[in-house]
Amino acid sequence: MLLLQFASSWAATRWRQVRRLLKAEPALLLYQGTILHEQLGRHRVAVDELHQAVRAKGLGGLELVHAVVLETDGSVSVMSCEQAGNGSALEAIVRGRSLPGEDPAPVDRRRP
């Protein structure tokens, strides 16, 4: 088991495709008050669960929410419009994605 862990970590540091296969990425479930239904379906999250996370944050409506993120550990982060600031915490998640209320951004296909 230890050998398998070492081999997968070694391969993930050397090949981008392996890293993408093995590493989870945070997923944007709601952006600027708009539910991203495709993302909910992809990550098997019910709309009711999304509403529950917003209520748990003490917010009464989706229009008060800047973003809801499904984190890599399975937790859900809710960012209110008041807390959004300049949105720098969401940069890696929204990079290259077309989001509601925004013009589609050009996708940079160069390797980092």
Side-chain angles (χ1 to χ4, degrees):
M1 186 66 135
L2 185 60
L3 184 60
L4 181 60
Q5 175 66 33
F6 174 78
S8 63
S9 296
W10 179 83
T13 60
R14 282 157 183 75
W15 294 293
R16 186 172 155 208
Q17 294 83 357
V18 173
R19 184 172 44 252
R20 291 178 73 194
L21 179 67
L22 296 177
K23 303 292 182 187
E25 294 181 1
L28 195 60
L29 304 178
L30 181 142
Y31 186 68
Q32 294 181 345
T34 302
I35 296 174
L36 305 176
H37 291 280
E38 182 180 321
Q39 289 291 84
L40 289 179
R42 179 178 293 142
H43 297 283
R44 296 177 180 86
V45 177
V47 174
D48 290 341
E49 293 173 305
L50 186 71
H51 285 227
Q52 186 275 330
V54 171
R55 288 191 308 269
K57 185 70 173 181
L59 301 171
L62 298 182
E63 71 279 359
L64 302 173
V65 180
H66 181 69
V68 175
V69 178
L70 177 62
E71 302 291 355
T72 59
D73 65 358
S75 65
V76 177
S77 297
V78 178
M79 183 183 301
S80 71
C81 292
E82 288 180 352
Q83 297 171 321
N86 66 1
S88 61
L90 298 174
E91 283 179 6
I93 301 169
V94 300
R95 187 179 308 128
R97 295 193 180 153
S98 178
L99 298 170
E102 295 185 352
D103 293 328
V107 177
D108 186 2
R109 302 257 186 231
R110 293 177 286 160
R111 290 186 132 183

